[in-house]
């Protein structure tokens, strides 16, 4: 169904754009992941972009929900734009997500600046796109052509030449971005060798296509391939560094078969017309990085990302310090809050530099040389006869990873703020070496990632059932009734039923002031989330946990599962066990230690 067009860029248009961009990246995410080798072949560019836009979308939705709860019809344009930029900033992942966050922030500085009107017209959008491209380029320590920066600049250039309303400007920006994307292999040698376009730039084209649909009500139609009349189909197999992209060229109707020397064909547009493709195999591209960043051996060993609260002057010194430590340096943000991304050999020094500059938090460190850095549990299976059935589960902490592994599952570790990409799930399924696999994502946000992984391994002949578990405690319930000797369908039905009958909750600490279903929370408040929604806001961990548990048991239950994080005192479990024993007859309690799992406490009630 066509999107209802927006005449001006207003709060509703911001909301529509975010939603459409998220859908577009959800469709393209796996394919973008598969062609990511520059600067590091970690196969996560599409996932990083998706998660960044998902955070922006959630922030915009929270602003709308807050105004609706207060009786207002909708938020102001400036509030929606700022929420989009802030959400992207705090949720930015990887090089590509960090640069996209700065692009959105650059737009927000124009659209929601002092004296800005309550909506933007074509001229306002042109100015915003120009400032976005310029500010993103300034955020990268050593800009490289042939990357997402080139695509963003081309979009802004094309928009600047356009005349008319927002729809005309957005369409021009999208077409300019597509043309620049098709030329990225000629600008960056690693892309030319791989025969593909830049993955970060390709994601930006999808985001701009969503902007066109926002203002016109229609997604951009497929157009002739930039640089030639050739079209065809793109086939992706594998993921990340193991991916191979094969372009099957098709001559124009009634035309000749084209060159027969095997040369790489010009890039093409896919069926939706929003994602130009590369042409030859093997795969590769990726995110904007320093020219000195060399894929593969010899590059920095770690990716370090963190949010930083610091003054501008301190951040200027931090840039110089990090630039000397490594490469792929991108620092975005402002007004006291920054997102820092760098590739280094000494991860500790990069974090220490942040401590000297201000207060770093949400620190994520990925070891590039460790292969699938999230994966724990079972060792790779030697070639040989496949097992009949296996369970592959994503778990949030080392303690639960051990528990799942003891039960026979192959586990993929999702460290706080560092979800696994679909390629890691695919590799875990391959290591399980079974004909039939039950996949437990244990996180609602991993639904698309797990579905993409399942689809890929099905193409390899593995029978996969995805059980949509939204919490590790639901996964525990499913694993408890798993019986490999049963027929596959019966086992899946039993595990799904057990997971669905388990309500889940978590107790965590708010990092910032925000709107919630239970009201406005402040930084440092203790939040109790039941089935994914904030139900309790408190000041004391134990009291909040008791309130959450009482709410869950009010509907009945037979078994309470408690999973304590490293930062939760053991006394919390003791208090909750006592409360269940004294207040709820015939309800049992089991306690596990989850390790560094993000949430202070996970609660399951069966």
């Amino acid at each position: 169904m066509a999107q209802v067009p927006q005449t001006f860029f207003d709060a509703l248009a911001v909301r529509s754009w975010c939603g459409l961009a998220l859908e577009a990246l959800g469709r393209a995410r796996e394919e973008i992941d598969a062609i990511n080798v520059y600067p590091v072949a970690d196969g996560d560019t599409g996932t990083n972009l998706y998660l960044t836009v998902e955070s922006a979308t959630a922030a915009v939705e929270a602003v709308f929900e807050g105004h609706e709860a207060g009786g207002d019809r909708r938020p102001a344009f400036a509030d929606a734009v700022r929420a989009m930029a802030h959400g992207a900033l705090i949720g930015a992942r990887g090089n590509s997500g960090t640069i996209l966050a700065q692009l959105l922030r650059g737009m927000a500085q124009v659209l929601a600046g002092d004296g800005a009107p309550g909506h933007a017209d074509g001229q306002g959008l042109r100015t915003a796109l120009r400032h976005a491209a310029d500010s993103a380029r300034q955020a990268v320590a050593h800009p490289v052509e042939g990357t997402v920066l080139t695509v963003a600049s081309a979009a802004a250039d094309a928009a600047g030449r356009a005349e008319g309303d927002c729809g005309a400007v957005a369409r021009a920006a999208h077409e300019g971005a597509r043309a620049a994307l098709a030329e990225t292999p000629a600008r960056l040698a690693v892309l030319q060798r791989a025969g593909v376009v830049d993955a970060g730039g390709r994601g930006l084209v999808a985001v701009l296509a969503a902007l066109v649909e926002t203002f016109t009500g229609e997604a951009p139609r497929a157009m002739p391939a930039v640089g030639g009349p050739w079209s065809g189909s793109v086939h992706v197999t594998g993921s990340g560094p193991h991916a191979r992209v094969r372009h099957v060229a098709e001559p124009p109707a009634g035309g000749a078969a084209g060159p027969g020397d095997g040369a790489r064909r010009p890039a093409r547009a896919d069926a939706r017309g929003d994602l130009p493709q590369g042409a030859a195999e093997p795969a590769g591209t990726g995110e904007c990085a320093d020219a000195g960043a060399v894929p593969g051996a010899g590059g920095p060993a770690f990716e370090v990302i963190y949010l930083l609260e610091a003054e501008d002057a301190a951040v200027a010194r931090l840039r110089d310090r990090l630039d000397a430590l490594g490469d792929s340096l991108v620092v975005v943000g402002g007004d006291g809050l920054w997102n820092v991304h760098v590739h280094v050999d000494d991860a500790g020094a990069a974090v220490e530099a942040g401590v000297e500059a201000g207060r770093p938090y949400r620190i994520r460190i990925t070891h590039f040389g460790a292969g699938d850095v999230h994966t724990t549990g079972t060792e790779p299976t030697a070639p040989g006869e496949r097992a009949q059935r296996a369970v592959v589960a994503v778990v949030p902490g080392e303690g639960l990873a051990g528990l799942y592994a003891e039960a026979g599952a192959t586990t993929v570790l999702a460290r706080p703020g560092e979800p696994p990409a679909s390629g890691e799930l695919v590799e875990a399924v391959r290591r399980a070496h079974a004909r039939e696999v039950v996949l437990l994502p244990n996180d609602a946000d991993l639904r698309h990632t797990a579905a993409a992984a399942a689809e890929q391994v099905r193409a390899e002949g593995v029978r996969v059932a995805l059980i949509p578990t939204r919490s590790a405690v639901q996964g525990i319930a499913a694993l408890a009734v798993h019986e490999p000797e049963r027929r596959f369908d019966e086992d899946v039905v039993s595990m799904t039923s057990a997971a669905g009958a388990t309500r889940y909750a978590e107790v965590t600490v708010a990092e910032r002031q925000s709107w919630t279903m239970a009201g406005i929370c402040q930084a440092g408040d203790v939040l109790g989330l039941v089935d994914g929604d904030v139900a309790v806001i408190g000041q004391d961990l134990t009291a909040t946990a008791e309130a959450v548990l009482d709410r869950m048991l009010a509907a009945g239950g037979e078994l309470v599962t408690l999973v304590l994080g490293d930062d939760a005192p053991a006394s919390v479990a003791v208090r909750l066990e006592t409360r269940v024993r004294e207040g709820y007859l015939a309800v049992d309690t089991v306690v596990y230690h989850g390790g560094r799992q993000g949430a202070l406490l996970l609660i399951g009630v069966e």
Side-chain angles (χ1 to χ4, degrees):
M1 180 179 296
Q3 176 73 17
V4 177
Q6 301 290 329
T7 304
F8 293 101
F9 204 177
D10 58 10
L12 285 177
V14 173
R15 189 183 202 181
S16 297
W17 182 29
C18 288
L20 290 169
L22 188 63
E23 292 176 6
L25 289 171
R27 293 190 299 265
R29 182 197 52 74
E30 176 69 10
E31 199 169 342
I32 296 173
D33 279 348
I35 59 170
N36 166 212
V37 298
Y38 177 74
V40 178
D42 48 359
D44 62 359
T45 298
T47 298
N48 286 339
L49 288 167
Y50 179 87
L51 293 173
T52 302
V53 173
E54 184 177 52
S55 181
T57 303
V60 172
E61 289 299 321
V63 168
F64 268 85
E65 291 170 2
H67 278 74
E68 290 167 1
D72 294 339
R73 183 180 177 187
R74 69 182 67 166
F77 176 48
D79 291 341
V81 170
R82 291 191 189 105
M84 175 182 66
H86 180 74
L89 178 66
I90 65 174
R93 306 293 179 89
N95 250 0
S96 58
T98 306
I99 292 172
L100 178 59
Q102 185 63 18
L103 287 168
L104 296 179
R105 176 177 171 79
M107 293 184 70
Q109 288 175 325
V110 172
L111 299 174
D114 294 338
H119 63 265
D121 57 10
Q123 177 58 43
L125 182 57
R126 283 193 292 269
T127 304
L129 289 171
R130 178 77 271 162
H131 185 68
D134 293 344
S135 63
R137 188 171 288 270
Q138 293 167 5
V140 178
H142 303 286
V144 175
E145 296 306 325
T147 65
V148 64
L149 295 180
T150 303
V151 176
S153 293
D157 291 343
R161 296 188 295 269
E163 296 181 359
D165 60 11
C166 288
V169 173
R171 192 178 295 280
H174 172 256
E175 292 175 357
R178 284 187 60 214
L181 179 62
E183 296 172 357
T184 54
R187 290 174 171 261
L188 196 56
V190 65
L191 305 183
Q192 189 171 42
R193 289 193 299 270
V196 290
V197 295
D198 177 67
R202 186 160 176 252
L204 179 59
V205 169
V207 172
L208 290 174
L211 187 63
V212 174
E213 187 173 0
T214 297
F215 292 125
T216 67
E218 297 180 357
R221 294 183 299 173
M223 294 181 290
V226 178
W230 294 91
S231 62
S233 57
V234 174
H235 301 274
V236 181
T237 58
S239 180
H242 307 293
R244 296 180 70 80
V245 175
R246 181 166 58 89
H247 178 267
V248 181
E250 300 168 358
D261 59 358
R264 180 172 59 83
R265 304 292 198 276
R268 64 174 286 276
D270 73 355
R272 295 185 304 278
D274 57 349
L275 298 174
Q277 295 283 340
E281 54 183 19
T285 87
E287 321 204 9
C288 177
D290 297 342
V294 180
F302 298 97
E303 177 186 56
V304 179
I305 306 173
Y306 50 80
L307 290 178
L308 177 70
E309 293 179 351
E311 300 297 326
D312 291 3
V315 172
R317 294 190 295 271
L318 175 66
R319 290 178 190 269
D320 293 338
R321 174 84 178 274
L322 293 179
D323 195 25
L325 287 175
D327 57 39
S328 297
L329 174 61
V330 186
V331 181
V332 304
D335 301 321
L337 180 63
W338 309 81
N339 192 307
V340 179
H341 171 283
V342 68
H343 294 175
V344 294
D345 281 321
D346 190 344
V351 175
E352 289 173 5
V355 173
E356 292 177 4
R359 186 179 79 87
Y361 59 101
R362 285 195 184 180
I363 300 169
R364 301 192 298 273
I365 300 174
T366 301
H367 183 200
F368 291 131
D372 291 331
V373 296
H374 299 271
T375 305
T376 64
T378 58
E379 294 298 320
T381 305
E385 184 66 21
R386 288 179 178 269
Q388 181 60 34
R389 191 172 308 157
V391 176
V392 174
V394 180
V395 291
E398 293 85 350
L400 283 179
L403 174 68
Y404 272 74
E406 288 176 8
T410 297
T411 62
V412 180
L413 186 61
R415 298 187 177 93
E418 191 180 335
S422 60
E424 296 175 70
L425 300 186
V426 169
E427 290 304 315
V429 172
R430 289 171 179 162
R431 269 194 309 277
H433 204 57
R435 299 184 184 90
E436 302 167 339
V437 172
V438 179
L439 184 56
L440 306 175
N442 291 339
D443 187 335
D445 292 336
L446 289 177
R447 177 170 56 90
H448 290 294
T449 302
E455 189 66 24
Q456 182 171 335
V457 293
R458 287 186 188 116
E460 299 173 7
V462 180
R463 189 179 184 188
V464 181
L466 171 60
I467 297 178
T469 48
R470 294 173 290 176
S471 170
V473 291
Q474 288 187 322
I476 292 173
L479 198 56
V481 300
H482 169 54
E483 293 185 14
E485 296 78 17
R486 270 193 304 220
R487 290 179 54 225
F488 184 65
D489 291 340
E490 293 177 355
D491 197 30
V492 170
V493 168
S494 178
M495 295 176 72
T496 303
S497 178
T502 302
R503 299 191 69 196
Y504 65 96
E506 67 177 76
V507 180
T508 188
V509 176
E511 294 184 351
R512 296 192 167 276
Q513 181 189 63
S514 61
W515 293 89
T516 76
M517 297 292 289
I520 300 176
C521 71
Q522 305 295 329
D525 284 348
V526 181
L527 306 181
L529 291 82
V530 178
D531 294 336
D533 293 323
V534 176
V536 180
I537 300 175
Q539 303 299 315
D540 179 74
L541 171 61
T542 301
T544 302
E546 288 179 331
V548 169
L549 184 59
D550 287 340
R551 285 192 179 215
M552 298 179 74
L553 286 174
E558 298 176 356
L559 176 66
V560 172
T561 300
L562 304 175
V563 183
L564 267 68
D566 279 347
D567 295 330
S571 59
V572 174
V574 174
R575 284 280 299 274
L576 294 179
E577 283 185 288
T578 301
R579 191 177 191 86
V580 172
R581 185 172 58 253
E582 295 178 350
Y584 302 93
L585 299 178
V587 178
D588 295 324
T589 305
V590 60
V591 180
Y592 300 110
H593 292 277
R596 194 168 63 93
Q597 63 184 22
L600 296 172
L601 175 68
L602 300 178
I603 304 174
V605 174
E606 301 177 46

